[in-house]
Amino acid sequence: RQTHYRLSPSTIPLLPLPSSAAQCDPPELVWRQSVGPAWSAFAVQAGAAVTQEQDGELETVVARDLRTGERRWTHRDSARHETSLGGVGPRATPTIDGNQVFAVGGTGLLNALDLSTGTLLWQRNIVIENGASVPHWGMSASPLVLGDLVVVTAGGPEGRSLVAYNRETGDRAWSSGDARAGYSSPTLARLAGVDQILTFNWGSVTGYRADTGALLWQHPWSEETQPVAQPLPLPGDRLLVSSGYGVGSALLQLAPSVDIAAVDVRVVWESPRLKAKFTNPVYHEGYVYGLDDGILVCLDPETGERRWKRGRYGHGQLILTEGVLLIQAEAGGIHLVLAHPDEHRELASHPALDDKTWNNPALAAPYLLVRNHREAACFRLAMAPPDKVAEAP
């Protein structure tokens, strides 16, 4: 269910930071549409908002017009993933790069589509091809585009856990690792002087060389939990890893190894004070913010100690932009919270949706796209010039 964001600084809106929530202009509803069930979010490019939906026995990738919500095109596959607690439909958010869309369905279908028309360019079943099995909650990791490659978490054995395909042909370029797939997406980071792909798998967090896929390091993680939240790179070659179900967080220190083909890893601290079940924690000006079993916390990454814990948002999602946490609560509402270590200060809230919402929101200034398993909506956000942004307390 993880989202792979492709935001650039020029697309991030400047949200107003008043001293009083009453001064915030409410978001303007642009459109609202019924959608098929899924826990995917929207990816946005060239005026198209692309997501995945379930339509009966068909799994679909759908492109909507960003400004109207009307469908531009729909790609359909005969596939369906369903669990009693997790619901119906695909989990992963599509990744857009250039004029190509890459989407992983709930059962492991990887589609490469033309962004303008939805034409199928190629398709692979990453579960069958790599001898893997579908995790209980479905294939949930979004693809990572690296140059000419599309990298996916397949979760296969015998060197087929992380797999890279040629983005133009769909041919397999390389594969690596043996870990079973988790629900976190592969991400790119530079740590210990090496560009590497980070994955949070079943029972481990791992780093692979970005150029070859070679395994650099692997650190064990409890199997009594679900690996969902993205590992968070921090300054000083550190990595914060967190999961729910009572496990909590650990700060890992990475360093170059005497073996030039490897990276050394040691644990700096472990803490139960941030248990990120679904949400991806974020880092801002020396502090980490995330949902600890549904309650927002501010964590000091130097010590693992908590600065504060306030605000019940359930198992929702959050985005950091311009010093503000944009939180979509599990109940569907949108909340703006100041990212500051001294206090929890909610600036504004808006009832965007009114049902269980596990999907990530998507920000494409000035538009905010939200969805759940029933409906999607687009809001136009109020914006403020930089010189009008209020100072933090």
Side-chain angles (χ1 to χ4, degrees):
R1 285 180 38 262
Q2 301 305 306
T3 294
H4 180 69
Y5 288 110
R6 299 191 62 84
L7 297 177
S8 65
S10 63
T11 65
I12 298 177
L14 298 171
L15 300 176
L17 300 182
S19 58
S20 160
Q23 292 177 292
C24 279
D25 293 330
E28 171 193 353
L29 178 65
V30 179
W31 54 261
R32 188 182 296 273
Q33 299 278 353
S34 297
V35 296
W39 301 121
S40 303
F42 284 99
V44 180
Q45 182 142 308
V50 185
T51 189
Q52 296 196 87
E53 304 175 26
Q54 193 71 36
D55 181 8
E57 297 304 312
L58 298 176
E59 193 175 68
T60 67
V61 184
V62 180
R64 297 178 182 273
D65 187 281
L66 174 62
R67 292 169 180 81
T68 67
E70 297 298 320
R71 289 197 184 209
R72 290 186 175 183
W73 51 259
T74 303
H75 170 81
R76 298 174 176 86
D77 287 304
S78 180
R80 180 182 173 96
H81 180 80
E82 180 176 4
T83 63
S84 57
L85 293 178
V88 179
R91 274 69 173 133
T93 299
T95 299
I96 303 175
D97 191 77
N99 198 45
Q100 290 176 289
V101 178
F102 303 97
V104 174
T107 63
L109 290 178
L110 168 61
N111 286 306
L113 306 168
D114 183 278
L115 175 61
S116 301
T117 64
T119 301
L120 179 66
L121 305 175
W122 51 264
Q123 184 184 83
R124 295 288 182 269
N125 189 314
I126 64 173
V127 170
I128 294 176
E129 287 187 6
N130 295 291
S133 58
V134 177
H136 177 76
W137 305 107
M139 300 297 287
S140 304
S142 297
L144 171 67
V145 177
L146 290 179
D148 296 331
L149 301 179
V150 180
V151 182
V152 295
T153 303
E158 301 176 354
R160 291 174 293 172
S161 177
L162 188 71
V163 184
Y165 292 92
N166 183 286
R167 66 180 294 168
E168 300 299 333
T169 66
D171 296 333
R172 183 158 52 184
W174 53 254
S175 64
S176 186
D178 304 306
R180 287 186 292 158
Y183 306 100
S184 171
S185 302
T187 55
L188 180 67
R190 185 169 181 82
L191 296 165
V194 183
D195 291 328
Q196 50 190 277
I197 301 168
L198 305 175
T199 64
F200 194 12
N201 303 304
W202 191 263
S204 66
V205 56
T206 309
Y208 302 85
R209 284 193 67 94
D211 52 357
T212 65
L215 183 67
L216 286 168
W217 60 272
Q218 191 168 46
H219 183 76
W221 197 260
S222 172
E223 294 188 0
E224 302 301 317
T225 186
Q226 302 290 344
V228 181
Q230 303 292 129
L232 178 64
L234 297 175
D237 294 324
R238 297 175 300 170
L239 187 68
L240 181 74
V241 185
S242 183
S243 60
Y245 300 92
V247 172
S249 303
L251 185 70
L252 307 181
Q253 178 70 62
L254 278 66
S257 173
V258 293
D259 178 357
I260 61 173
V263 168
D264 290 333
V265 181
R266 67 176 178 87
V267 178
V268 179
W269 53 254
E270 295 177 315
S271 171
R273 293 175 178 83
L274 174 57
K275 299 176 289 295
K277 183 175 181 178
F278 286 172
T279 189
N280 298 322
V282 297
Y283 175 80
H284 179 64
E285 295 185 348
Y287 294 92
V288 171
Y289 301 86
L291 293 176
D292 174 38
D293 274 341
I295 303 176
L296 185 64
V297 302
C298 173
L299 198 75
D300 184 344
E302 297 299 323
T303 63
E305 295 298 317
R306 196 165 53 212
R307 293 297 300 263
W308 51 257
K309 181 177 182 178
R310 295 285 187 277
R312 296 181 179 273
Y313 302 103
H315 298 300
Q317 309 291 346
L318 62 84
I319 298 173
L320 173 70
T321 176
E322 297 296 322
V324 172
L325 302 172
L326 192 157
I327 302 171
Q328 175 126 47
E330 186 175 19
I334 291 291
H335 304 261
L336 299 184
V337 177
L338 192 67
H340 198 278
D342 288 349
E343 66 170 335
H344 168 265
R345 175 146 61 103
E346 185 167 303
L347 305 173
S349 64
H350 184 74
L353 302 173
D354 61 0
D355 203 346
K356 179 173 66 178
T357 302
W358 289 342
N359 314 63
N360 282 273
L363 194 56
Y367 300 105
L368 174 68
L369 290 153
V370 296
R371 64 155 296 181
N372 56 22
H373 61 301
R374 292 175 37 200
E375 63 177 347
C378 176
F379 295 92
R380 187 191 305 272
L381 298 179
M383 300 173 68
D387 59 348
K388 298 300 183 182
V389 176
E391 294 294 330

